[in-house]
């Protein structure tokens, strides 16, 4: 059995490859600012996309998007604001959630919520 940190890291890597396969360009991973972390920063069609990746081994306890609560969203927004100022970004941004789901047979699926919050 994988530990939560290992499982989360694996899910981030899978989400990264999945997004790249859909035309997203990787910018950064695990960007930290104070108590916040942004899992993935990507570019897509001229938009800077901040991605929160959530892993679920089933939906019995809820869907991935339900685990990005108000506090988590505020931390991500604060870190994104810092990143935008640090890199002098002057174009559009977006906040996405990618749910990575593994069923009992080990099959992995993805659910992408574009513009999930702000």
């Amino acid at each position: 059995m994988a530990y939560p940190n290992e499982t989360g890291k694996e899910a981030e890597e899978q989400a990264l490859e999945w997004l790249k396969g859909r035309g997203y360009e990787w910018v950064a991973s695990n960007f930290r600012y104070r108590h916040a972390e942004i899992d993935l920063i990507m570019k897509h069609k001229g938009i800077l996309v901040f991605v929160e990746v959530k892993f679920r081994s089933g939906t019995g306890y809820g869907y991935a998007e339900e685990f990005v609560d108000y506090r988590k969203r505020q931390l991500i927004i604060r870190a994104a604001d810092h990143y935008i100022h640090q890199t002098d970004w002057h174009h559009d941004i977006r906040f996405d959630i990618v749910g990575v789901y593994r069923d009992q047979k080990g099959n992995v699926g993805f659910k992408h919520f574009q513009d999930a919050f702000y």
Side-chain angles (χ1 to χ4, degrees):
M1 181 174 117
Y3 293 99
N5 287 346
E6 293 172 6
T7 303
K9 191 64 147 165
E10 181 183 334
E12 288 173 15
E13 291 169 3
Q14 290 171 330
L16 172 62
E17 292 306 314
W18 186 78
L19 288 166
K20 284 168 51 178
R22 278 150 185 73
Y24 286 72
E25 175 189 341
W26 177 82
V27 175
S29 295
N30 306 111
F31 176 79
R32 296 190 64 81
Y33 175 68
R34 295 188 183 177
H35 298 292
E37 180 181 34
I38 300 171
D39 294 330
L40 300 172
I41 302 174
M42 310 290 286
K43 284 184 186 174
H44 188 247
K45 298 181 179 178
I47 298 172
L48 193 62
V49 183
F50 298 96
V51 182
E52 175 68 10
V53 178
K54 287 294 184 188
F55 174 78
R56 294 279 130 229
S57 59
T59 57
Y61 292 104
Y63 293 95
E65 67 276 13
E66 297 171 328
F67 288 86
V68 184
D69 62 12
Y70 175 79
R71 173 137 171 78
K72 180 68 172 177
R73 290 191 307 265
Q74 293 306 306
L75 287 170
I76 294 168
I77 290 167
R78 190 172 305 133
D81 188 50
H82 180 76
Y83 183 86
I84 290 164
H85 290 292
Q86 176 181 304
T87 60
D88 200 30
W89 181 261
H90 293 284
H91 306 285
D92 289 336
I93 66 165
R94 190 175 79 209
F95 294 91
D96 290 5
I97 300 170
V98 172
V100 180
Y101 296 89
R102 182 176 298 135
D103 66 18
Q104 293 176 345
K105 295 179 182 178
N107 299 317
V108 176
F110 301 90
K111 194 169 182 186
H112 188 183
F113 301 89
Q114 294 183 3
D115 214 6
F117 61 90
Y118 190 93

